[in-house]
Amino acid sequence: MAAPREKTDGPRQDRLHRGLIYSITECCRQASDGEMKEKMLWGALSALRVMWCLAPQNGYLHPDEFFQSPEVMAGDILDLEINRPWEFQSVSPCRTVLVPLLTSGTAFWIMNVFHRFGTEMTSNYSYFLLVLPRLIITILSFLLDYTVYQVAFSWGSNPWKALVLLAMSPVTLVFYTRTISNAVEGVLFAILLLLISPGERSPVLNSGKTKSFHFIGLVLTVGFFNRPTFLCFAFVPILYWVDKSGSHKSYFSPTSIILAVLKTMPSVILYTVLFIAADTIYYTGHWPLSMNGKEGFIEQLVKNTILTPINFLQYNMNPENLAQHGIHPRVTHMAVNGFMLFGLLHLFAVCAGVTILKNKIWSNSDKSPNEKPSPQQTSLLLMFYFVPLMFLSFFSHQEPRFLIPLLVPLVLLVSNYNSTMKTKCVIILFNITGALFFGCFHQAGIIPGLFCIQQIVQSNSASGNMSYRYTVLFTHTYMPPLYLLNLKKGQTAVNIIDLAGCTEDIMCQTFRDLQLELSVRNAQELGKTMHHLIAVFPGTIQPVVESCGLAFKDEVLFTPHLTMEDPLKMSHLFTGSLKSYLSLHVIEVEVGTTRR
């Protein structure tokens, strides 16, 4: 009876083996197909990032995307008429000049080179003024992708899923294609994570060379001078790096800390001196050590040296200064801004953090020997995400853009979550909505409106012997970047007035005063100069502007234009003028001639 049983068991075992091999092969094939789809999706989203930058995006995130970099550099390099922001004034400047010079300055230097070699860009000059600085930041943003791909395995993450989450985020598609210092801060934070991450690809933990400490010092110095808040992001990664780079078994041994500081300090000192010298020359016009023979060395050094990060910290430590920019509850970053930028990804991080805390508390209280500790990799990624968020929450002024550097640790953390189809649909819908809102709708009429004004000025400047003067009044909009008008310094053709969010009485009185003043000038300079008054405002305040009792001539609408300072009301949705409310209005006010 034993022999027949052996004959029948043989084919059964073969079938089991074949079935097992087939299952493994099928799983590998499906995994390979899934990875290939993720690679293709990342490639498509990366192409979208570049093409959408070149489109260009008309959404206006925040005045700082213009006034902390391209507005200043356009005046310095291209000699254009600008509105120099307070951070770049020679009295207590708060921003280093090197970072804008290396980003927007590089773009404008390229434009200058083409102009000197006779390449004409006059027809689309304003377009290049807008897009080229953004393109520099967009190229730098791919350092985030490189970092995620290099360190994903080290942190137990799925590299291609993390790359897809990164590439499809509205933070990447919009914020990391704009000339804001927060985007540079995010790129530097990603580079720091790349330098300190464990694994075979880590340039620090596995080499131990002086060059690695040199790069760490360089990133810390550039990050601090770009935005002193960079130290909030670098705090946990540097602690982790100091601990892991030491040869001692104890955590944070004094010897490893001292050695790390000593090896990093030379590059920190070198680049700090470079930044201080560059800022001092830029803001004062001379070297910090230049001697005039009348003062001592120390007095001269203290008088001449410009320390922009110190000025930045002094300004932001003053509650009265922060109140001018807006005071927010301390929980705004955690409860509002995180969800506004990252959506469900932020919720996943919060849930993961709560779960780990509950497990630690439960295991400590009950002392259960069977309770598994939380994975160290997950705990560290949570610290990379939440510790900077906690530090930034100590400041009363909290804007969403302050959190964009946290995207890299967040996608590394979330990439291994098994999402249902409904969850994936919610994430995709959120990303599309966020990208469209920030990239296409928010204050989106200002840039095309400026392009239109620039074309009007350029067309009339070349017509006949009559000279034209334009007074352009912006009200209830973000501050208009003047460099996009492509006007040389010292010009008198255009005068920009920004009333910001003034009251109805002030706005109407300003309109009337300007109308009277310009009509008198037209009468005095009849036949020589014609003065025009142009009003720019969102459609949601059109009834207020009409109540000023002014006569209008030509009107151009730029749609869409959403403003959260003067949002749509429910009553606007049920009128026949919804497009008007969702537009930026550029209207020429009737001036005429009046003799006094």
Side-chain angles (χ1 to χ4, degrees):
M1 297 295 294
R5 187 173 300 169
E6 290 180 357
K7 292 179 181 180
T8 56
D9 286 348
R12 184 180 302 171
Q13 291 179 356
D14 291 341
R15 287 194 299 271
L16 290 174
H17 290 161
R18 287 196 297 269
L20 181 60
I21 293 173
Y22 175 79
S23 299
I24 295 175
T25 305
E26 186 66 18
C27 289
C28 292
R29 186 187 65 81
Q30 292 178 359
S32 178
D33 291 344
E35 184 175 299
M36 181 57 66
K37 292 179 181 178
E38 289 170 346
K39 290 180 180 180
M40 294 176 63
L41 181 56
W42 173 81
L45 291 169
S46 299
L48 174 64
R49 191 190 318 177
V50 176
M51 290 188 294
W52 205 16
C53 168
L54 299 175
Q57 298 178 18
N58 286 330
Y60 189 164
L61 293 177
H62 190 275
D64 285 355
E65 72 170 287
F66 294 108
F67 291 92
Q68 286 184 0
S69 185
E71 178 85 359
V72 178
M73 291 297 103
D76 294 337
I77 297 176
L78 300 178
D79 200 33
L80 297 181
E81 187 76 29
I82 64 168
N83 180 10
R84 185 171 293 272
W86 62 271
E87 296 102 323
F88 287 88
Q89 299 293 339
S90 58
V91 179
S92 297
C94 297
R95 298 288 178 184
T96 182
V97 70
L98 275 185
V99 175
L101 184 62
L102 294 174
T103 52
S104 297
T106 300
F108 294 148
W109 177 81
I110 293 173
M111 293 180 66
N112 231 353
V113 170
F114 276 102
H115 180 71
R116 289 181 180 180
F117 280 94
T119 303
E120 295 295 333
M121 298 182 183
T122 52
S123 58
N124 292 313
Y125 202 78
S126 294
Y127 167 82
F128 289 107
L129 288 173
L130 173 70
V131 168
L132 283 186
R134 289 182 174 182
L135 185 59
I136 298 292
I137 300 298
T138 303
I139 293 172
L140 291 176
S141 74
F142 282 96
L143 288 172
L144 274 67
D145 304 71
Y146 178 77
T147 297
V148 168
Y149 179 76
Q150 290 290 331
V151 308
F153 286 112
S154 301
W155 296 104
S157 304
N158 185 321
W160 287 106
K161 185 176 179 181
L163 281 171
V164 170
L165 289 173
L166 175 74
M168 72 188 303
S169 171
V171 174
T172 303
L173 292 172
V174 181
F175 287 82
Y176 277 106
T177 61
R178 303 300 183 89
T179 50
I180 51 176
S181 58
N182 308 93
V184 177
E185 185 177 41
V187 171
L188 293 170
F189 183 49
I191 295 174
L192 183 62
L193 293 179
L194 175 65
L195 293 173
I196 62 94
S197 291
E200 297 179 356
R201 297 173 176 173
S202 173
V204 174
L205 299 182
N206 294 293
S207 64
K209 297 179 180 179
T210 306
K211 183 169 64 173
S212 302
F213 293 92
H214 175 82
F215 285 136
I216 292 285
L218 171 61
V219 171
L220 290 177
T221 306
V222 177
F224 179 67
F225 273 85
N226 176 60
R227 292 185 65 87
T229 54
F230 182 74
L231 297 183
C232 299
F233 298 96
F235 179 72
V236 177
I238 290 300
L239 288 182
Y240 171 79
W241 166 64
V242 170
D243 178 43
K244 293 301 180 182
S245 62
S247 58
H248 295 76
K249 295 182 179 180
S250 60
Y251 291 107
F252 302 112
S253 67
T255 304
S256 63
I257 295 175
I258 293 173
L259 287 176
V261 171
L262 290 177
K263 291 180 180 180
T264 309
M265 193 56 63
S267 64
V268 171
I269 294 175
L270 172 64
Y271 292 112
T272 298
V273 171
L274 176 63
F275 271 90
I276 292 176
D279 290 339
T280 301
I281 294 171
Y282 179 78
Y283 288 111
T284 66
H286 52 74
W287 289 91
L289 301 181
S290 60
M291 303 293 292
N292 57 18
K294 298 180 181 180
E295 298 179 86
F297 176 80
I298 300 299
E299 291 82 359
Q300 190 77 355
L301 185 65
V302 172
K303 179 180 178 180
N304 290 347
T305 302
I306 298 294
L307 300 174
T308 53
I310 303 302
N311 295 337
F312 178 94
L313 292 173
Q314 289 177 345
Y315 181 88
N316 285 278
M317 291 298 179
N318 188 337
E320 295 181 359
N321 293 335
L322 292 182
Q324 300 176 14
H325 303 275
I327 299 298
H328 307 97
R330 294 292 194 270
V331 297
T332 302
H333 278 325
M334 178 69 73
V336 179
N337 295 339
F339 289 102
M340 186 183 301
L341 290 178
F342 309 122
L344 282 183
L345 304 188
H346 179 68
L347 180 61
F348 289 159
V350 172
C351 292
V354 171
T355 300
I356 287 180
L357 288 177
K358 287 173 59 179
N359 290 340
K360 285 180 179 283
I361 295 173
W362 184 82
S363 62
N364 289 336
S365 59
D366 293 353
K367 298 181 181 181
S368 172
N370 298 323
E371 182 69 24
K372 295 181 179 180
S374 60
Q376 184 184 19
Q377 294 170 332
T378 302
S379 299
L380 282 169
L381 288 174
L382 284 170
M383 292 179 67
F384 291 162
Y385 183 76
F386 283 110
V387 171
L389 191 150
M390 178 189 68
F391 283 149
L392 294 174
S393 297
F394 290 145
F395 297 93
S396 58
H397 180 60
Q398 302 183 17
E399 297 181 23
R401 62 191 174 95
F402 296 163
L403 301 183
I404 68 172
L406 299 176
L407 181 61
V408 169
L410 182 60
V411 297
L412 291 172
L413 174 68
V414 176
S415 62
N416 281 333
Y417 277 77
N418 293 322
S419 303
T420 64
M421 185 56 66
K422 290 184 179 179
T423 301
K424 292 179 180 178
C425 291
V426 172
I427 292 175
I428 293 173
L429 181 62
F430 170 84
N431 290 340
I432 293 174
T433 303
L436 291 177
F437 174 77
F438 289 115
C440 297
F441 295 103
H442 186 251
Q443 295 279 345
I446 296 178
I447 292 174
L450 286 170
F451 287 173
C452 176
I453 295 171
Q454 191 267 338
Q455 291 174 359
I456 294 174
V457 174
Q458 184 178 4
S459 62
N460 287 338
S461 63
S463 59
N465 297 324
M466 176 77 73
S467 62
Y468 295 88
R469 301 288 184 268
Y470 296 88
T471 299
V472 186
L473 191 148
F474 286 81
T475 181
H476 290 255
T477 67
Y478 277 0
M479 189 184 305
L482 301 190
Y483 81 100
L484 291 179
L485 293 176
N486 188 25
L487 302 170
K488 290 297 181 180
K489 284 183 180 178
Q491 61 80 35
T492 58
V494 180
N495 177 30
I496 300 292
I497 300 175
D498 182 18
L499 292 182
C502 65
T503 63
E504 178 180 352
D505 293 339
I506 294 177
M507 180 176 62
C508 290
Q509 188 62 46
T510 303
F511 272 125
R512 297 189 191 100
D513 292 344
L514 286 173
Q515 187 182 37
L516 177 60
E517 178 184 349
L518 296 179
S519 64
V520 171
R521 289 185 183 180
N522 281 340
Q524 294 173 346
E525 303 172 9
L526 189 63
K528 299 179 180 179
T529 303
M530 177 64 69
H531 291 269
H532 298 268
L533 175 60
I534 298 176
V536 183
F537 55 88
T540 49
I541 69 163
Q542 183 179 6
V544 178
V545 176
E546 291 176 347
S547 68
C548 295
L550 303 174
F552 301 116
K553 294 171 61 177
D554 300 325
E555 178 179 12
V556 182
L557 302 184
F558 295 94
T559 310
H561 179 90
L562 285 178
T563 169
M564 295 298 99
E565 288 71 23
D566 298 281
L568 280 172
K569 298 179 181 179
M570 289 298 298
S571 59
H572 297 160
L573 301 176
F574 304 101
T575 65
S577 305
L578 182 60
K579 179 181 178 181
S580 176
Y581 290 118
L582 290 175
S583 301
L584 183 76
H585 294 241
V586 178
I587 297 179
E588 183 175 358
V589 180
E590 183 71 48
V591 174
T593 56
T594 300
R595 297 185 181 273
R596 286 183 175 177

